[in-house]
Amino acid sequence: MTRLQPDDICHITPNLAGYSRELEKKTGRSLLGIACHACNLDEGQCKARMQDKQICVVPVTAGLGIISRFSDTVAAILTFLGCRAKVADQTDVSGVAQAFASGYDALMMADDHRFVAIDLHTRQVTDNADAAGRGFAAALDLMAGGIRDRDVLVLGCGPVGASGAAMLASLDARVALLDKDRRAAEWVKETVSGRYRTADIIIEEDLETALSYHRFVLEATPVPDTITGTLVSPEMRVAAPGVPSGVSAEAAAMLGPHLVHDTLEIGVAVMAVSLVYGPIRIKR
Ligand code: PYL
């Protein structure tokens, strides 16, 4: 997992309303709307239940330590969505103890390996990588006007790509996978095929060839410039949860409103909605 830098997130808090409006223009749904779509939930009902959730964000000093503004930004996203969120006064074990002792419903915390939301009542754990994969797949579904029976290319078969591929398969897309490590793609194909009616998942070998005939792309690699300007076509729609983004600056400018990318917002929104509604089964 690529570690976020303060510069990757410092713009988020002051721009949450603007970002949500931008998502609405691109996908037809707000930040909360995309998260609800990812969890197959009604946005109105979800909004009403968000305010019942008290979530404690616990800063973690382990490993490479605190990322400046990380916890504040997560709390700001949760607050924007309508939850009651607060950053713990203390870090690590003391922060976790505070979350339990003060009666919070859930906590969120991240070290260098995992970023999780834990429901303190049900013990449900939601992983950010899984949430981001689902959230961006949902955004792609919306940008496509329905991904059912469409060909979708998933670039990168790590945890985010795997989750996105599963979500897209659950929506009955025809999924193609590409990873520089073919075994990763084979593992995702096997896992997703086992869960969904998806005997038709294919593995692509060559990036340029695959991009030449795929209109819908989930870019889930952490490799900058995976999609460059020369590989972009006017009809392409790209959802890019990768950190750093695999979409080059030139490609991003060419895609314009047909690209959804962020570093934290959609993943955190899906985590929050999952907390509100408990375990989500993504198969429709
Ligand atoms: C959460 C993200 C998504 C992308 N990369 C992941 C990352 O940066 N993980 C590290 C998070 C560390 C947070 C730090 C803190 O401030 O509490 N321990």
Side-chain angles (χ1 to χ4, degrees), residues 1-5 58-62 65-68 70-71 110-115 128 243 263-264:
M1 155 162 108
T2 312
R3 193 176 152 85
L4 291 167
Q5 301 301 312
V58 180
V60 173
T61 64
I66 300 286
I67 297 174
S68 169
F70 178 80
S71 295
D111 65 10
D112 300 335
H113 306 288
R114 290 189 76 183
F115 173 22
N128 175 258
V243 177
T263 51
L264 215 46

Side-chain angles (χ1 to χ4, degrees), residues 186-196:
E186 279 167 0
W187 182 83
V188 172
K189 175 179 159 118
E190 206 175 298
T191 313
V192 176
S193 301
R195 274 172 73 190
Y196 302 105

Side-chain angles (χ1 to χ4, degrees), residues 34-264:
I34 290 173
C36 289
H37 187 59
C39 299
N40 201 19
L41 292 168
D42 177 78
E43 188 177 341
Q45 282 178 13
C46 188
K47 203 178 251 173
R49 288 173 66 163
M50 289 304 244
Q51 60 208 20
D52 296 338
K53 281 284 160 192
Q54 286 204 70
I55 305 175
C56 187
V57 184
V58 180
V60 173
T61 64
L64 294 173
I66 300 286
I67 297 174
S68 169
R69 299 209 179 119
F70 178 80
S71 295
D72 288 337
T73 304
V74 172
I77 297 168
L78 295 170
T79 304
F80 175 75
L81 295 169
C83 301
R84 284 181 285 154
K86 185 181 181 303
V87 178
D89 302 322
Q90 292 162 304
T91 66
D92 307 297
V93 174
S94 302
V96 172
Q98 182 191 347
F100 273 88
S102 308
Y104 281 89
D105 299 302
L107 64 79
M108 285 197 188
M109 59 197 293
D111 65 10
D112 300 335
H113 306 288
R114 290 189 76 183
F115 173 22
V116 292
I118 303 175
D119 187 311
L120 300 180
H121 305 294
T122 66
R123 302 158 72 106
Q124 176 201 330
V125 178
T126 305
D127 195 284
N128 175 258
D130 183 56
R134 279 195 277 146
F136 280 85
L140 191 58
D141 179 51
L142 292 165
M143 280 198 286
I147 207 74
R148 186 189 174 96
D149 292 332
R150 311 264 206 141
D151 293 307
V152 185
L153 178 64
V154 177
L155 297 177
C157 290
V160 178
S163 163
M167 172 81 186
L168 293 163
S170 81
L171 294 168
D172 293 321
R174 287 192 297 268
V175 176
L177 305 167
L178 195 153
D179 193 288
K180 63 180 187 334
D181 176 1
R182 194 188 155 93
R183 284 167 309 171
E186 279 167 0
W187 182 83
V188 172
K189 175 179 159 118
E190 206 175 298
T191 313
V192 176
S193 301
R195 274 172 73 190
Y196 302 105
R197 181 189 57 79
T198 49
D200 53 350
I201 291 183
I202 61 167
I203 297 181
E204 294 283 353
E205 304 289 345
D206 179 69
L207 178 70
E208 287 191 25
T209 312
L211 282 172
S212 70
Y213 55 75
H214 277 94
R215 198 180 151 203
F216 303 109
V217 183
L218 184 75
E219 208 301 314
T221 76
V223 184
D225 299 342
T226 298
I227 301 180
T228 54
T230 51
L231 299 174
V232 169
S233 61
E235 65 279 3
M236 228 176 221
R237 304 287 181 272
V238 180
V243 177
S245 173
V247 181
S248 75
E250 186 196 8
M254 289 168 73
L255 286 162
H258 301 145
L259 169 68
V260 169
H261 165 72
D262 69 45
T263 51
L264 215 46

